[in-house]
Amino acid sequence: MRFVSTVPTLIFGAVAIVVLSIVFGSWYTIDQGERGVVLRYGAIAGTAEPGLGFKLPIIDSIVRISVQSQAAIYSNMDAYSRDQQPATMKLSVNYRIPVDQVATVYEQFGSEAGLLSRLVERRVFEESKTVFGRFNAVTAIQERGRLNQEIADAIQAGVKGPVIVDSVQIENIDFSDAYEASIEQRMLAEVEVQRLRQNAEREKVQAEITVTRANANADARRADAQAQADAVRLQAQADAEAIRVRGEAEADAIKARGDALKDNPGLVSLTQAERWNGQLPTTMVPNGAVPMIDVTGGAIRGSVSAGE
C-alpha cells in the first residue's frame, strides 16, 4: 500500500518539474549589445530585440549575436616586402555586425566566429600581404602611417558582407634579426652623418660670425684711421692757415718797415745807436769799417748823437 501511494507522488513531482521547465524555458533575455536569432525547428523564424522575450518551449531556440564593436587580433602574419625582406605582422581589426544583418550572419556563416574565419580573416591576410609587398622594408618602417592606411583601405574595400570594418591598426612589424641589425647600423650611420652635418653647419655659422666680427673690426679700424687722417688734415690746414696769417703779418710788417725806412733814411742809424752798448769790437777785420763811427775832417764822432 505504501508503494502504491508513493507512485502518484512521484508522477506529480515529475509532471511539476516538466511544467516548470516548460514555463521557465519559454522566457529569454537579450542584452543591449546583442540581437537574437529565433530558430523554430532549426529554421530562422525572426530576430529578437534586447530585453525579455517569449519563445515556444522545446520548439523555439535563441542564438545570440553581438552587435557591439569588437577587435579581432591577427598575429604571426608572414609577408614579404618589395625588396624581398621577410616580415611578420600583427594586425588588429575593429569590426561590428549591423543590427539588421544578424539573421544574414547566422544564415550564411552560422555564427560570428564563422563570419570572422570565412570572410574577414581571409581578406585580412590577403590584402595585408598584397599591400605590404608594394613597400620596401625601409619605406614600410619610415612611412608606417601610409602603410597602415593603405592596408586599412584595402581590407575595408575587400570585406563585402554582413559586417562593417571600422578600422585596421598595425600593432607590430618584425623583420629578421639580421635585417634589423643592418637597419640599426644604417640608422647609426645616418645619425652620425646628421651629427657631422650639424657640426659643419655650426662651424659654418661660427666662421660667418668670425668674418662678420673681422669686418666690423676692420670697419672700426678704417673709421679710426679716417678720423685720425681727418684730424691730421684739419691740423695741417690749421697750421698752414696760421703760417699764412703769420707770413702775411710779417710781410705787412716788412712792408711797413720798408715804407718807414724809405720815408726816414736815418732810422737805421738811430736804431743801431739805440741798441749799441758803447763797446767797440775787440777784433777787427783788416780794412773793415767800425760800426756807427764816422771819421770826417780828422775828427771822430758818432754818426748820430743824442742831440740830433
Side-chain angles (χ1 to χ4, degrees), residues 17-275:
I17 293 174
V18 171
V19 171
L20 291 175
S21 299
I22 292 173
V23 171
F24 286 104
S26 300
W27 302 94
Y28 63 89
T29 58
I30 301 296
D31 292 338
Q32 185 62 42
E34 298 177 335
R35 293 298 185 271
V37 179
V38 181
L39 301 177
R40 184 164 297 163
Y41 297 115
I44 298 176
T47 58
E49 296 294 323
L52 181 64
F54 177 81
K55 64 182 179 65
L56 296 177
I58 302 176
I59 298 176
D60 292 345
S61 61
I62 304 297
V63 177
R64 293 171 177 81
I65 296 178
S66 175
V67 293
Q68 292 179 327
S69 179
Q70 301 183 77
I73 306 298
Y74 298 97
S75 303
N76 301 323
M77 297 176 53
D78 295 329
Y80 283 87
S81 63
R82 188 171 63 181
D83 52 352
Q84 300 301 313
Q85 292 297 332
T88 301
M89 291 189 296
K90 179 181 179 180
L91 297 180
S92 63
V93 178
N94 296 318
Y95 69 95
R96 56 188 171 87
I97 297 174
V99 174
D100 59 348
Q101 296 291 317
V102 291
T104 304
V105 170
Y106 182 81
E107 179 181 4
Q108 295 182 0
F109 303 98
S111 64
E112 181 181 344
L115 171 70
L116 291 176
S117 63
R118 292 166 54 189
L119 176 61
V120 177
E121 183 175 323
R122 288 172 49 194
R123 305 307 301 176
V124 168
F125 276 78
E126 181 178 348
E127 298 298 342
S128 61
K129 290 182 179 181
T130 301
V131 175
F132 189 79
R134 301 173 188 162
F135 285 74
N136 290 330
V138 175
T139 307
I141 296 174
Q142 295 178 345
E143 301 183 16
R144 182 165 173 171
R146 183 166 68 89
L147 172 63
N148 193 113
Q149 186 61 49
E150 291 190 11
I151 290 178
D153 293 341
I155 292 175
Q156 288 172 337
V159 175
K160 298 183 182 299
V163 63
I164 296 175
V165 177
D166 291 323
S167 64
V168 177
Q169 183 66 41
I170 297 177
E171 301 291 342
N172 190 33
I173 301 176
D174 283 331
F175 289 95
S176 64
D177 294 340
Y179 183 73
E180 289 183 352
S182 67
I183 291 178
E184 182 178 359
Q185 294 298 323
R186 184 182 304 171
M187 294 302 295
L188 292 176
E190 291 180 358
V191 170
E192 181 64 18
V193 170
Q194 186 65 25
R195 186 183 66 83
L196 294 176
R197 288 178 178 174
Q198 292 177 351
N199 291 339
E201 188 66 23
R202 183 172 62 253
E203 292 176 357
K204 179 181 178 181
V205 172
Q206 290 177 350
E208 292 177 352
I209 293 175
T210 302
V211 171
T212 302
R213 289 178 178 175
N215 292 335
N217 293 335
D219 292 340
R221 288 194 296 270
R222 283 195 295 269
D224 291 341
Q226 185 64 37
Q228 293 177 1
D230 292 342
V232 171
R233 180 174 55 81
L234 292 176
Q235 184 64 40
Q237 291 177 352
D239 293 343
E241 183 65 18
I243 293 173
R244 185 186 64 80
V245 172
R246 287 197 300 270
E248 291 180 353
E250 291 178 357
D252 292 342
I254 292 173
K255 183 175 182 300
R257 290 176 183 176
D259 293 341
L261 289 176
K262 181 179 179 181
D263 296 337
N264 300 285
L267 183 59
V268 174
S269 299
L270 176 61
T271 301
Q272 291 177 346
E274 290 176 347
R275 295 182 177 180

Side-chain angles (χ1 to χ4, degrees), residues 1-14:
M1 295 297 294
R2 291 181 178 178
F3 177 74
V4 174
S5 63
T6 305
V7 172
T9 303
L10 295 175
I11 294 174
F12 177 78

